[in-house]
Amino acid sequence: MAHTDRLTVRRVLRREIAGTIGLLTDEQDFSAMRRYRSFTFDDHTLYLQQVEALLRSRASQGSHTSVALFDPEEYAEFCAARDLEPDISSSRARFTAELAATGPTLPYEGQPLADLLPALVDEAVRQATWEYATTLLSRLGACASCGEDIGRAAFTRASGLLVRILDTARPGNRHLVCSVSGAPETLVSVLHADQDEGGTTHLDDAEALEFTTVLALGLATRSPGGLVMRTTSPNTTDCIYGWRLRGDGLEPLTAGEVFDAYCTDVESGDLISPESGVDYCVPPDLGDLEPPQGGHHH
């Protein structure tokens, strides 16, 4: 009887344990892991099917599971830095635990793996973009003229601009895209700002932080770039407008410039038919775009 009670307690406790699965999302990463003899999977499609079955099984038992991207190169570096044998499952488990603490993860909530995978990749890109932009901002240091931290001042400026952009937007759901050109690549950040029936705007904190950081980097470095917003609300046409980054501020795009940007193929330069039910507009007036008194604007 006591033995049976202990087994029951263990089953109950097992449901209290949260787990993380490190997932190899593409064929290339999957092939890289096959060099380890202890990694016994030999078919990526079957591997994904088995992962999905495991996720469903854990969910049916009431267990919470999150999914993380498993990168073979990062795994090899992890093992080398900690003097671990990479060709054993316990090392992979330790690396996955590290991902759960520091890397991008998403909870499994019963969605198909085909939907979870692209969302997980997007989350990884978002975090990498934020980390890269944050690093570049921090390297700008202090202004030689006034001693103010350039990155911090630019972030404050970007935050204020974002608030004013959202405050002046018409009611509805807003989809914002900010792009900043630079070496070695252009940074792109997306922010969704949806309104509920009461008019309250809801932002994802991580998205907002990344978006503001990328915008701040563009302002601080005076890099070429732009910001475009699309607003959607019931029973009205969508409205698209935007700004170009100019100096440490934003310059409104004309309706014609927005139309050209959306109706021209980036690669070929050919014209694309405009979407139906969409207005290409001039952005609303944001008011005084000068930095606040005492703000960094050299």
Side-chain angles (χ1 to χ4, degrees):
M1 185 67 176
H3 178 67
T4 302
D5 289 343
R6 285 196 297 270
L7 291 178
T8 301
V9 170
R10 288 176 187 173
R11 282 195 293 268
V12 173
L13 286 174
R14 194 174 291 118
R15 291 197 294 268
E16 302 294 324
I17 300 174
T20 301
I21 294 178
L23 191 60
L24 297 158
T25 59
D26 60 51
E27 287 276 5
Q28 183 175 351
D29 287 346
F30 182 82
S31 297
M33 288 301 295
R34 291 193 62 199
R35 69 177 180 266
Y36 301 120
R37 294 181 61 185
S38 62
F39 185 80
T40 57
F41 301 97
D42 57 11
D43 183 278
H44 187 235
T45 300
L46 180 60
Y47 161 81
L48 292 177
Q49 291 172 350
Q50 293 300 316
V51 168
E52 186 163 20
L54 175 60
L55 290 170
R56 287 198 302 265
S57 175
R58 285 179 55 82
S60 68
Q61 297 168 9
S63 298
H64 173 81
T65 311
S66 59
V67 180
L69 285 180
F70 194 106
D71 185 295
E73 291 186 7
E74 292 182 2
Y75 172 63
E77 294 171 359
F78 173 85
C79 291
R82 289 159 178 78
D83 196 26
L84 297 176
E85 167 54 54
D87 199 1
I88 54 176
S89 59
S90 60
S91 294
R92 293 193 290 273
R94 287 185 60 175
F95 177 65
T96 300
E98 183 88 359
L99 293 177
T102 62
T105 63
L106 288 179
Y108 176 72
E109 299 173 329
Q111 67 271 53
L113 203 58
D115 295 336
L116 182 60
L117 289 183
L120 183 60
V121 172
D122 288 346
E123 179 68 12
V125 170
R126 182 204 59 74
Q127 180 166 318
T129 299
W130 171 75
E131 290 175 350
Y132 181 66
T134 299
T135 298
L136 293 183
L137 272 180
S138 65
R139 289 176 179 173
L140 296 176
C143 174
S145 300
C146 67
E148 185 173 12
D149 186 285
I150 297 173
R152 185 176 295 111
F155 188 89
T156 300
R157 172 100 169 118
S159 299
L161 287 171
L162 178 58
V163 169
R164 286 150 75 177
I165 288 170
L166 294 176
D167 285 348
T168 57
R170 73 181 189 182
N173 296 332
R174 299 82 175 262
H175 179 84
L176 296 89
V177 179
C178 179
S179 60
V180 174
S181 299
E185 59 183 334
T186 297
L187 295 181
V188 179
S189 181
V190 176
L191 176 63
H192 300 87
D194 296 338
Q195 278 189 330
D196 59 25
E197 294 180 355
T200 302
T201 298
H202 298 276
L203 300 174
D204 178 272
D205 290 342
E207 272 192 359
L209 178 60
E210 179 215 355
F211 189 93
T212 306
T213 304
V214 170
L215 177 57
L217 180 64
L219 298 175
T221 58
R222 298 175 179 259
S223 300
L227 191 159
V228 176
M229 172 145 76
R230 180 174 188 146
T231 61
T232 303
S233 53
N235 305 318
T236 63
T237 57
D238 287 7
C239 180
I240 301 176
Y241 53 80
W243 300 261
R244 65 171 54 86
L245 273 62
R246 181 60 59 88
D248 61 357
L250 300 175
E251 180 181 87
L253 296 173
T254 66
E257 289 173 324
V258 177
F259 179 89
D260 289 342
Y262 270 81
C263 300
T264 303
D265 185 274
V266 176
E267 295 183 357
S268 67
D270 297 335
L271 293 178
I272 303 173
S273 298
E275 293 183 62
S276 60
V278 173
D279 290 333
Y280 302 93
C281 312
V282 174
D285 184 8
L286 297 180
D288 182 13
L289 292 180
E290 288 300 313
Q293 187 67 30
H296 182 269
H297 50 88
H298 301 302

